Amino acid sequence: MKRPWAGQVEKPPEEHVPRYDPCNPLCPRNTRANGEVNEDYESTFVFDNDFPALQPDAPDPGSDQHPLFRSKAARGVCKVMCFHPWSDVTLPLMKKDEVVKVIDKWSDIVEELGATYAWVQIFENKGATMGCSNPHPHCQVWASSFLPNEPALSDRCQGKYYAAHKEPLLLHYAQQEAERKERVVVDSSHWLVVVPYWATWPYQTLLLPRRHILRITDLTREEREDLADVMKRLLTKYDNLFEVSFPYSMGWHGAPTGPHLKEDYSHWHLHAHYYPPLLRSATVKKFMVGYEMLAQEQRDLTPEQAAEKLRNLPDDHYKTR
């Protein structure tokens, strides 16, 4: 962090996004690439991704394969979900009841797609630095017939811990972090946000419920209301850090669905990951390269330093002061 920086500098996020752009395919009433016209929506809006990475009828490659070159059919569906009809708002600037509607829609989608598919991945890429090509507030949902690499690894680790300790790993972890407090960023009666002990991205956070919950569909009305407040507080602190619309990739992980719904997944605990890239300023990000790609990730900040910086930031957004 003390080394002088003469490397790549990112372009700051656009601060003056038009509320409505007739050429933006995510805005209400506009025509998308496939010719379909968006609804005149006033809240959330979900549609099939016009360029899906997963198809429900992907062909089976067959079983006659060399052991070094094996593949299987990856079947699924991809959805896009708009959070709000306006392009010039983001989650921290939305009203609490509007964020609750986003959470409710996430739950509805998981319930709908989770009835069939083994994994339903909700994720948001925010900002051009994270590869997001459209400033309109939105996320994606990919549902797959298989358990992808990251949740499969998480499933194994949580299962191993549960078998040894008879307690869900992340529930126990949340309890420990709540007691220690040094890595806590935001907390409430139902939720806890920490910079995790193992964090490698500078201001990485983990969002955890205090009660043992398997999936987002299991949240009570009170927990959803509280979650909306916690999300707004966290994302406001992110924006306030460098006084910029803070880029990140985030996503929810819950117990597997589809054929796994009837199985015992008591070892799982619902959680959300936030991975922001910015390190020194609004224009200098962390580069995960060299030693970190080939050997092991290194920390530019300790989790405790990052948590303290975020925790001490105001809860009111810099744009509303």
Side-chain angles (χ1 to χ4, degrees), residues 19-68:
R19 179 157 294 182
Y20 171 77
D21 181 351
C23 297
N24 189 326
L26 298 185
C27 286
R29 306 179 304 279
N30 286 358
T31 303
R32 303 199 307 276
N34 64 354
E36 292 190 14
V37 178
N38 294 336
E39 297 176 8
D40 188 12
Y41 62 95
E42 297 180 351
S43 180
T44 59
F45 173 55
V46 180
F47 61 90
D48 292 335
N49 195 316
D50 297 330
F51 304 97
L54 293 165
Q55 302 278 1
D57 55 354
D60 193 323
S63 57
D64 186 19
Q65 301 177 52
H66 189 282
L68 294 180

Side-chain angles (χ1 to χ4, degrees), residues 97-141:
D97 65 301
E98 293 173 333
V99 180
V100 171
K101 290 178 182 178
V102 170
I103 296 166
D104 287 340
K105 184 56 67 174
W106 281 340
S107 176
D108 292 344
I109 293 175
V110 170
E111 184 171 16
E112 175 192 349
L113 299 180
T116 303
Y117 292 101
W119 186 254
V120 182
Q121 182 61 66
I122 297 168
F123 66 97
E124 179 193 3
N125 294 326
K126 178 172 177 263
T129 303
M130 299 308 293
C132 181
S133 60
N134 195 313
H136 194 89
H138 72 286
C139 72
Q140 297 187 54
V141 185

Side-chain angles (χ1 to χ4, degrees), residues 59-62 65 70-75:
D60 193 323
Q65 301 177 52
R70 292 184 294 179
S71 60
K72 294 182 179 180
R75 298 189 175 98

Side-chain angles (χ1 to χ4, degrees), residues 222-234:
E222 187 175 348
E223 287 166 338
R224 296 180 189 209
E225 296 272 350
D226 197 32
L227 174 58
D229 183 64
V230 166
M231 286 174 58
K232 279 179 60 64
R233 289 169 61 195
L234 170 64

